Amino acid sequence: MLRRKLTILAATAALALSTNMAFAQNKVLKFVSWQKDERGVGDWWASVIKAFEESHPGVKIEWTKVERGAYADTMTTLFAGGNPPDIVHLASFEFQKFADNGWLEPLDPYIKESKLDLNGWAGQDTCVWNKQTVCTMMLYFGYFLAYNEDLLKKEGLSVPKTYAEFLEAAKKTTKDLNGDGIIDQFGTGHETRGGGGQYISEMMNYTLDAGGRWTDENGKVTINTPQMIEGLSRWKTIVKNNLTPRDMSAGEVRQLFADGKIALKMDGPWLWPIIQKGKAKDQIKTAMVPFNPPVGGSSNVLAIPTDIDKANKKLVWEFIKLATSDQLQSTYATLGASPPPSPRADIKAAKAENPNFELLVQATQAAAKAKVDRIPKGLEINFNEFSKMIMEEAQRMIIQDLDPKAVAATMQQKAEALQQQ
Amino acid sequence: MKPRFSLDLARPSRRHWLGYLLLAPAVLLIGLIIVYPLIVSVDISFQNVNIARLDQPRRPFTTANYERLFTSADFWNAAWVTLKLVIIVSVFCFLLGLGTALLVNNKFKGRSLARLLVALPWAVPEVIAVVIFAWMFDSSFGLMNWIFIKLGFIDTTVNWFSSPAAAFMVVCMTMIWKGYPFVSIMMLAGLQSIPEDFYNAARVDGANTWQRLVNITIPSLMPVLGVTLVLVMLWVFRDFSIIYVLTGGGPLKATQTLSIMTYEQAFGFFKMGYASAIGVVTLIICVIASRLMIGRAPDNI
């Protein structure tokens, strides 16, 4: 009798195991990202996927690229259609809408169960939505200054350390080189065309240095302060005087800088690989930005959708755990050429490989210490509308030559109205 | 054994059934792809929805989206921009299209090449055309600034995409360049269907070129012209990619049409109820405008 029971038990176990194996062999996790094919960080994602597939035989990750410009639409459509990707990759300024709809799984039970230590994890506070952790931060960055040493030397300028020095250097290096009436070389470079998010990041170089913030730590709008008015005046000076090329996307401006057409550029870690491929690579040096604090902020997050089955959720969590492991966070520094968010990552190899790396770490720490984020507290859910409004009012200030004080008052009023929606 | 039910489509009284049967898949598909989303859009426009999901319970009925829409300065601005764009682009497309069609309808050496060149912009994908125009009108390194400075028209560069009027003009030019070949091709087809006898008779009666154009060519082209204008107008109304890639609707909403506004509200600000309301109003305007133009066409022939 016992032998018979044991035989049945063994047969059941074998059947269950084979079913599970067959199931696992067919398991495909969908992962949509805009960073696929990106030099550096794209390679790092590929290494995470490879490591995951090796440690989970039979589970494959179907990695699909969606362009950043179409990303919000695609993800919204996928979620709204009840068919979200298993591994959710979102920008840190857009996940809030998804979390607010209840589409992102609270991660606190997973973090607790797996004892994942996120203490000191850069930008992780941003992932807390309605008192629940809904994502893990994958990058927090700080801006550094890259400058073209030759262009500064030609004008007898040293590396600027204050806004006044920066403005002087930008004015002196903005030139029409062949006298045809067209400016061929610019003092600095900012994106003045495209999305509101990037536009306000560019503006923040000046508003932060002037001591201004969009909102205070309680989420109260603080745009009509003297500091913000000063910051807006600085932005107007730079753009109105054509010290930056006009109507260019961020990518075009970076390429112009890498090719030696711009003297000074403040940007994040992603600028470094572009410089390395540019014509002026040997003339470009780096330093801390001449502004205090530097622009910084959270960049992108990983999350689990609520709409997938329990087994998939478990697998996605394992993927997140792997991506946040000390080992892969260390390779993030070398492959991604950016400071990883993990405080435990070993960045010695990255420092040895990239002479700029120490500066990136310093810039990130300075921005984090000053609690800088391009997503203002209290306006997270309306960030897209807010950034678009700020961009339009700033453009109006420049096009119609308006007084920054009046513009700040309009921005204040509109931002408060957005908060009350 | 005799089948219990048979459908004899050969019977004269049931012959039309075959037609319905053959049409059924297409009708079903249209219903699924066009009619169903349309009904859903109308339904969503009467709900206060941010991100719509079909599996979620329906929100209470409200007209708030329409109330907000009709009191919104942005909506009226977008409607005005759309109207301006439709009129300017349609008129210039018509003039250029008719002019080039008349030109390449004549017999001359190199006519085939000329016809090819006239039709070329139509074959260029919209996004590529936009990239070319964006480069030509680039404020810092664009061709147009260089040409205008060399010709002495301007003494300093124009920031084409930072000036509301200049940006609107660039959008119009791009759309005209992209749209006129369609009018040209349609007009050319229409011109070739006009019997030569009409012109010979007119010549015998002593009609000059202008009189032949006004009294024979234009009236004979009216049926084609009516349909073509409706198609061009609808294209301008719904075109999204040219404006979105070129200006994104800016600066200062100077190029924000109703379709750009719908997209921005739906996928930029995730306000799908409000976006649906804009879409529904746009649809109604399009239907009325098309009906008016097509309805009037027979009177003009």
Side-chain angles (χ1 to χ4, degrees):
Chain A
M1 188 71 182
L2 183 67
R3 186 184 289 176
R4 198 176 160 204
K5 275 185 178 172
L6 280 172
T7 313
I8 292 169
L9 197 66
T12 313
L15 186 70
L17 196 68
S18 62
T19 312
N20 266 346
M21 278 176 72
F23 180 64
Q25 271 163 8
N26 291 327
K27 200 74 147 173
V28 175
L29 296 180
K30 286 180 283 174
F31 176 31
V32 178
S33 170
W34 69 94
Q35 291 184 329
K36 192 182 179 191
D37 302 332
E38 264 184 35
R39 202 167 162 241
V41 73
D43 300 330
W44 180 76
W45 281 116
S47 74
V48 178
I49 290 168
K50 193 177 168 218
F52 181 82
E53 287 178 344
E54 278 170 7
S55 59
H56 295 79
V59 183
K60 290 273 166 213
I61 291 181
E62 188 184 286
W63 192 18
T64 313
K65 178 171 178 163
V66 173
E67 289 298 334
R68 186 59 244 172
Y71 203 77
D73 330 1
T74 310
M75 291 301 270
T76 309
T77 310
L78 288 172
F79 271 90
N83 189 26
D86 298 288
I87 303 166
V88 178
H89 190 208
L90 291 166
S92 59
F93 56 79
E94 68 195 359
F95 82 85
Q96 295 86 351
K97 283 273 183 188
F98 294 82
D100 204 49
N101 271 281
W103 292 349
L104 302 182
E105 182 85 354
L107 298 183
D108 298 299
Y110 294 88
I111 295 167
K112 197 176 169 190
E113 196 190 329
S114 60
K115 292 177 185 158
L116 179 67
D117 183 7
L118 290 173
N119 278 327
W121 196 273
Q124 185 57 30
D125 291 352
T126 308
C127 274
V128 178
W129 187 254
N130 288 340
K131 296 178 183 168
Q132 286 183 318
T133 305
V134 292
C135 56
T136 52
M137 187 59 64
M138 298 314 293
L139 174 64
Y140 181 90
F141 61 87
Y143 274 16
F144 66 99
L145 173 75
Y147 60 95
N148 189 310
E149 197 174 37
D150 284 10
L151 298 185
L152 291 187
K153 270 187 183 168
K154 269 184 205 164
E155 303 303 323
L157 296 161
S158 54
V159 184
K161 290 198 165 46
T162 61
Y163 169 69
E165 289 175 14
F166 174 85
L167 183 63
E168 188 201 353
K171 279 181 176 169
K172 283 188 174 168
T173 48
T174 298
K175 285 187 158 184
D176 169 12
L177 296 171
N178 54 9
D180 64 357
I182 300 171
I183 298 170
D184 315 287
Q185 180 187 293
F186 294 90
T188 189
H190 294 293
E191 175 183 292
T192 52
R193 178 188 186 187
Q198 183 63 29
Y199 193 94
I200 70 165
S201 291
E202 304 281 1
M203 283 177 78
M204 278 169 67
N205 282 293
Y206 306 97
T207 55
L208 284 170
D209 186 55
R213 298 281 174 125
W214 304 115
T215 56
D216 66 15
E217 53 196 22
N218 299 316
K220 188 174 174 289
V221 181
T222 55
I223 306 179
N224 60 354
T225 58
Q227 292 86 347
M228 277 302 290
I229 294 167
E230 169 61 18
L232 290 175
S233 303
R234 292 181 184 185
W235 176 247
K236 186 181 172 187
T237 305
I238 297 289
V239 181
K240 184 110 185 130
N241 294 324
N242 290 324
L243 303 181
T244 170
R246 300 282 287 272
D247 310 326
M248 280 199 173
S249 68
E252 289 165 335
V253 175
R254 286 178 192 132
Q255 195 56 53
L256 273 184
F257 174 70
D259 289 340
K261 302 269 184 197
I262 291 172
L264 305 154
K265 174 95 185 93
M266 285 82 64
D267 215 331
W270 45 84
L271 182 65
W272 186 248
I274 299 168
I275 293 171
Q276 296 313 301
K277 287 168 87 180
K279 289 177 194 161
K281 165 183 134 172
D282 299 328
Q283 291 118 56
I284 292 174
K285 303 283 183 287
T286 55
M288 282 295 279
V289 290
F291 309 134
N292 185 33
V295 174
S298 46
S299 172
N300 60 93
V301 303
L302 273 184
I304 305 175
T306 46
D307 263 358
I308 58 172
D309 66 52
K310 212 174 170 183
N312 277 22
K313 283 179 188 170
K314 207 176 161 206
L315 282 169
V316 177
W317 175 248
E318 283 172 23
F319 181 84
I320 293 175
K321 246 176 33 179
L322 191 68
T324 52
S325 67
D326 292 356
Q327 192 198 340
L328 278 157
Q329 284 292 298
S330 304
T331 57
Y332 185 87
T334 45
L335 285 172
S338 300
S342 169
R344 297 179 301 279
D346 181 2
I347 54 171
K348 276 186 226 125
K351 281 182 180 173
E353 263 180 38
N354 182 352
N356 193 41
F357 203 81
E358 185 60 50
L359 177 74
L360 295 179
V361 174
Q362 219 182 321
T364 303
Q365 284 171 350
K369 196 178 162 197
K371 293 187 177 173
V372 176
D373 202 342
R374 55 187 168 158
I375 306 146
K377 200 172 168 57
L379 282 160
E380 297 94 340
I381 203 86
N382 299 314
F383 179 72
N384 287 355
E385 265 179 292
F386 169 75
S387 60
K388 183 83 194 280
M389 179 274 289
I390 294 290
M391 181 175 84
E392 281 184 0
E393 293 310 322
Q395 284 177 334
R396 200 184 310 278
M397 170 176 74
I398 293 157
I399 294 168
Q400 298 175 0
D401 199 14
L402 300 177
D403 178 10
K405 195 176 174 185
V407 174
T410 310
M411 286 177 175
Q412 172 84 17
Q413 186 200 344
K414 289 192 173 180
E416 283 172 350
L418 273 177
Q419 267 187 337
Q420 282 160 15
Q421 265 181 21
Chain B
M1 194 177 148
K2 202 177 171 184
R4 292 177 74 187
F5 174 77
S6 68
L7 190 64
D8 183 7
L9 295 171
R11 275 174 62 179
S13 63
R14 289 187 184 161
R15 222 168 263 167
H16 62 285
W17 285 26
L18 179 66
Y20 290 133
L21 214 62
L22 293 171
L23 277 175
V27 170
L28 278 174
L29 267 177
I30 288 171
L32 206 68
I33 296 167
I34 299 173
V35 181
Y36 176 65
L38 198 66
I39 292 167
V40 171
S41 290
V42 174
D43 187 35
I44 288 173
S45 74
F46 287 105
Q47 298 172 54
N48 188 9
V49 180
N50 285 336
I51 302 181
R53 265 186 82 151
L54 299 178
D55 59 352
Q56 281 176 350
R58 197 187 178 284
R59 303 274 177 97
F61 175 89
T62 175
T63 54
N65 290 322
Y66 288 95
E67 284 164 26
R68 187 185 156 197
L69 186 68
F70 292 121
T71 52
S72 157
D74 286 349
F75 168 72
W76 292 110
N77 173 67
W80 172 236
V81 170
T82 311
L83 182 70
K84 278 194 298 182
L85 204 62
V86 166
I87 292 172
I88 294 171
V89 174
S90 301
V91 166
F92 278 91
C93 278
F94 165 70
L95 292 176
L96 265 173
L98 181 63
T100 49
L102 287 169
L103 185 75
V104 297
N105 194 39
N106 290 318
K107 285 180 185 152
F108 60 91
K109 210 176 169 185
R111 187 172 73 162
S112 301
L113 182 68
R115 282 184 177 178
L116 181 75
L117 289 175
V118 166
L120 196 63
W122 197 46
V124 177
E126 264 189 11
V127 174
I128 294 174
V130 174
V131 171
I132 294 168
F133 273 80
W135 172 75
M136 279 168 46
F137 287 95
D138 184 273
S139 307
S140 307
F141 301 97
L143 182 71
M144 298 313 282
N145 269 339
W146 183 81
I147 290 175
F148 288 164
I149 283 181
K150 287 286 171 200
L151 292 174
F153 294 161
I154 51 174
D155 52 5
T156 182
T157 52
V158 177
N159 293 317
W160 296 98
F161 297 107
S162 292
S163 154
F168 184 77
M169 197 193 78
V170 174
V171 167
C172 285
M173 282 178 72
T174 313
M175 291 188 100
I176 292 165
W177 185 83
K178 192 74 192 73
Y180 89 86
F182 173 70
V183 181
S184 190
I185 292 165
M186 296 289 280
M187 292 292 121
L188 188 59
L191 283 172
Q192 289 179 349
S193 68
I194 303 173
E196 194 57 31
D197 297 351
F198 287 11
Y199 292 106
N200 291 336
R203 277 191 201 99
V204 170
D205 290 344
N208 61 25
T209 313
W210 177 251
Q211 286 169 325
R212 290 201 297 274
L213 175 76
V214 173
N215 297 308
I216 299 174
T217 311
I218 303 278
S220 304
L221 283 177
M222 273 307 179
V224 183
L225 188 68
V227 176
T228 309
L229 271 180
V230 169
L231 291 176
V232 171
M233 191 198 75
L234 289 180
W235 167 69
V236 180
F237 234 108
R238 68 176 171 75
D239 189 76
F240 171 80
S241 54
I242 289 179
I243 304 171
Y244 188 71
V245 179
L246 211 53
T247 63
L252 310 184
K253 297 191 169 75
T255 57
Q256 190 178 65
T257 56
L258 289 168
S259 50
I260 294 281
M261 190 182 176
T262 308
Y263 174 83
E264 187 178 64
Q265 292 293 336
F267 296 109
F269 306 155
F270 301 108
K271 290 186 171 155
M272 295 195 176
Y274 186 53
S276 297
I278 306 169
V280 169
V281 171
T282 309
L283 177 78
I284 293 168
I285 296 171
C286 279
V287 169
I288 293 171
S290 309
R291 190 70 206 111
L292 282 175
M293 292 190 77
I294 291 179
R296 279 181 164 276
D299 300 332
N300 297 331
I301 299 169

